[in-house]
Amino acid sequence: MTSENSTEGGPVTQVGEGQEAEEATPPVLTVGAPRVGEVLADRYELAEHINDDAAGRQVWQGVDVILRRPVAVVLRYPGGDSAQEMLQAAVTASRVIHPNLAGVYDAIDEDTRAYVVREWIDGEALRQLVVDGPLDAEWATSIAHSVASAVAAVHATGMVHGNVHPGTVMVGHDSRVVLADARATEGDTPDTDVRAIGGILYFALTGHWPHAEVGPSSLPDAVRDGSGAIAAPRMVRAGVPAYLDDLTMDLLDDRLALPSADVLAAELDRLDVAADEPFIVDAGPLRFSAVEEGLPEQPPATRRKLMLGVASLLIVATVGLLLGIRVLADRGDTDDGAAPGPGVAATATNEPSGGSTAPAAPKAVALTRDQVRIVDPEGDRTELSDAPLMVDGKRDTAWESDTYRNLPFGDKSGMGVLIKLAEPTDVSSVQVNLSATGASAALFSGQGDPGSTAAGDRKIVSDYKTRIGEPFENHEATTLTFQGFPPDVKHQYLLIWFTKLPTTSDGRMRLEIQEITVQARG
């Protein structure tokens, strides 16, 4: 979906297009100016001058002559004290490794000049991508999801990015989205970054940047009414889905409390699926609660947002009540050994409580090699072999997918594993051991196996709609344990459906399933 580079003055700007005053004229260097072919630090050869950014820094494409890889080199004149902010930001950014963050390789101060060496992104900035017109909803959501994931990774280290902007969001020709040029100041907070993600959504959908809400830029300001209020994306252009319009406006509304970046990333991950994805729940986006009392009367859409906050409290209270009933049922003493009442699940414990008989412990269900297979409705059918390695009882063997270049799963909506139990079974849990963290997956049940063909796999994906338990989103551990099976309901066919690849220890995006274990109620 990327467009051809249409900016004036040459190739893509790789970094340095953040929220500074972009009208500033970069200085023209004469004495000591870098030149094509010059090798910096005996390692980085300058190949092409790309442009000068608003802060007066020169952006070059270079080559790491040792590792033979392209790099972006950002030079600043002079070095020394005046370059410390740039160098410190680079050092800080280098500590965070994430597929959606530009890698920082080096930061050098030569006194007369300083430079930062970064990953070269073969693509273009979001600000250039939108030159030919706003993006469609699916592409805008995907970009915002990638940016939110990158920001969440930065925030997890206790740092702030401080420069989320259409000029620092790079979109590669392989569709990989990368956030570059972290440049936080004392006034920046995690909320600043999250609010700017709303600005990214607004810009991608409309081609305008909401200056008053997320910071100045030379980009066109958001469309506003006579009172200065921002116009919703659906008012600027036709075809923007209501759920995406609401989410964008919520993020830009300073009367509403913002979610954390990881919560927003999870929500965008849920929305970042194809329109025909059978497992997406037809529900609206994440909604935020008002943080100021005494707000003026709101239009119906905003009132609905506030009502959802009350509904959430009622849900929490209901869940707490049910959990309390369950605990009391588990711990209660009965003279006749009666089981808990209908609908109340008994929890297995090591010791009986009050003399009552403890429920039997779950037991493992033996799986043979012909009881698991790969479900790949959108692939080339080359990743189907070695599935028995997932049930051979060995953690040092694994089924491996192909290596994909871009998240969440290359050009696919996902892949899965079909488990065919020998007979209908009262399952209590399914555990999946992976080789790396960061996977997203859900568990579904269905009826029958139409066969290991592309058509058969498509039928499984369309027919298996009963989700078991809660899905995992960007799971931080290598073990996924699916629970929530209703008691006294037997299952024979289960589908573990993966929608996002983990990043393995070698930096690649690949799914490796070491072992799958099914537990049944005793």
Side-chain angles (χ1 to χ4, degrees):
M1 296 184 184
T2 56
S3 59
E4 295 298 323
N5 186 347
S6 57
T7 58
E8 298 179 2
V12 175
T13 298
Q14 290 291 308
V15 286
E17 285 195 326
Q19 301 178 35
E20 297 180 273
E22 300 188 31
E23 294 79 4
T25 303
V28 178
L29 300 175
T30 53
V31 179
R35 63 186 185 280
V36 173
E38 182 178 355
V39 179
L40 307 180
D42 296 324
R43 180 167 184 172
Y44 307 109
E45 181 179 357
L46 299 180
E48 182 182 2
H49 179 212
I50 301 303
N51 69 348
D52 297 331
D53 75 3
R57 301 176 299 183
Q58 292 195 2
V59 183
W60 285 72
Q61 181 181 13
V63 177
D64 183 333
V65 298
I66 295 178
L67 298 181
R68 306 306 305 171
R69 64 181 175 185
V71 295
V73 182
V74 185
L75 293 112
R76 187 191 191 287
Y77 291 80
D81 292 341
S82 61
Q84 288 308 301
E85 182 179 344
M86 179 187 80
L87 295 172
Q88 184 56 50
V91 170
T92 301
S94 69
R95 299 170 183 162
V96 188
I97 307 299
H98 190 274
N100 298 118
L101 285 171
V104 178
Y105 304 142
D106 218 337
I108 299 173
D109 184 7
E110 294 181 350
D111 195 34
T112 56
R113 66 183 177 185
Y115 46 92
V116 172
V117 182
R118 297 179 176 174
E119 178 182 4
W120 174 264
I121 309 301
D122 186 16
E124 56 192 337
L126 176 61
R127 67 180 302 161
Q128 295 166 310
L129 198 64
V130 179
V131 166
D132 294 332
L135 308 183
D136 61 44
E138 180 182 350
W139 193 212
T141 302
S142 180
I143 290 174
H145 172 216
S146 297
V147 174
S149 297
V151 169
V154 173
H155 290 182
T157 67
M159 297 183 294
V160 176
H161 188 278
N163 199 21
V164 179
H165 181 271
T168 59
V169 175
M170 305 300 302
V171 181
H173 295 313
D174 61 355
S175 297
R176 177 188 172 209
V177 178
V178 177
L179 180 62
D181 203 19
R183 203 186 315 153
T185 64
E186 291 183 1
D188 292 318
T189 67
D191 278 1
T192 304
D193 287 343
V194 174
R195 189 86 67 192
I197 298 172
I200 292 295
L201 268 173
Y202 193 90
F203 179 79
L205 293 169
T206 68
H208 294 264
W209 178 250
H211 289 190
E213 289 75 14
V214 288
S217 169
S218 62
L219 296 169
D221 187 22
V223 178
R224 301 179 185 276
D225 61 20
S227 66
I230 191 172
R234 298 182 77 187
M235 299 175 64
V236 179
R237 56 172 290 207
V240 177
Y243 68 84
L244 197 56
D245 186 89
D246 287 341
L247 177 59
T248 303
M249 294 302 288
D250 281 355
L251 290 170
L252 296 176
D253 189 343
D254 60 9
R255 298 170 301 181
L256 301 180
L258 290 171
S260 60
D262 57 343
V263 170
L264 178 58
E267 173 65 9
L268 289 166
D269 186 27
R270 184 180 73 85
L271 300 176
D272 183 16
V273 294
D276 57 352
E277 166 60 57
F279 300 137
I280 185 171
V281 178
D282 186 15
L286 183 75
R287 312 315 297 264
F288 317 135
S289 301
V291 293
E292 294 183 11
E293 297 183 358
L295 291 178
E297 178 68 15
Q298 303 298 322
T302 302
R303 287 200 297 272
R304 285 196 299 272
K305 301 172 190 176
L306 302 180
M307 291 171 63
L308 282 173
V310 177
S312 298
L313 293 176
L314 292 175
I315 292 173
V316 171
T318 303
V319 171
L321 177 60
L322 292 176
L323 289 175
I325 293 173
R326 177 170 179 167
V327 170
L328 291 174
D330 290 343
R331 298 173 59 184
D333 298 335
T334 58
D335 293 333
D336 56 1
V344 181
T347 302
T349 58
N350 292 327
E351 298 181 3
S353 174
S356 61
T357 302
K363 59 183 180 180
V365 178
L367 295 175
T368 60
R369 58 183 298 119
D370 59 345
Q371 288 181 267
V372 292
R373 74 172 182 85
I374 301 300
V375 176
D376 189 14
E378 302 170 9
D380 55 10
R381 318 297 291 172
T382 62
E383 301 171 77
L384 308 184
S385 61
D386 296 331
L389 295 177
M390 297 183 291
V391 293
D392 63 356
K394 303 175 183 177
R395 288 290 296 272
D396 57 350
T397 62
W399 170 84
E400 298 182 7
S401 73
D402 289 342
T403 299
Y404 292 81
R405 298 184 62 186
N406 55 302
L407 291 170
F409 219 119
D411 296 327
K412 301 179 183 180
S413 60
M415 289 180 68
V417 178
L418 180 66
I419 302 173
K420 301 175 284 186
L421 300 177
E423 59 184 5
T425 303
D426 188 2
V427 179
S428 62
S429 69
V430 174
Q431 185 177 90
V432 185
N433 298 114
L434 307 178
S435 63
T437 62
S440 295
L443 181 67
F444 298 87
S445 67
Q447 298 296 324
D449 179 6
S452 181
T453 64
D457 286 358
R458 286 194 292 271
K459 182 170 177 58
I460 286 176
V461 172
S462 64
D463 290 353
Y464 280 47
K465 294 183 178 179
T466 302
R467 194 177 75 190
I468 306 296
E470 293 300 317
F472 290 93
E473 302 288 347
N474 300 309
H475 192 49
E476 298 179 353
T478 56
T479 299
L480 313 179
T481 302
F482 295 97
Q483 297 175 319
F485 286 84
D488 301 323
V489 177
K490 295 186 176 182
H491 299 82
Q492 186 170 8
Y493 294 89
L494 299 170
L495 174 66
I496 307 168
W497 186 249
F498 291 89
T499 54
K500 181 177 179 295
L501 292 158
T503 301
T504 61
S505 58
D506 58 4
R508 301 183 179 183
M509 288 172 282
R510 182 174 61 241
L511 179 62
E512 296 181 8
I513 303 177
Q514 298 172 333
E515 201 68 22
I516 295 176
T517 305
V518 176
Q519 296 276 345
R521 292 187 175 90

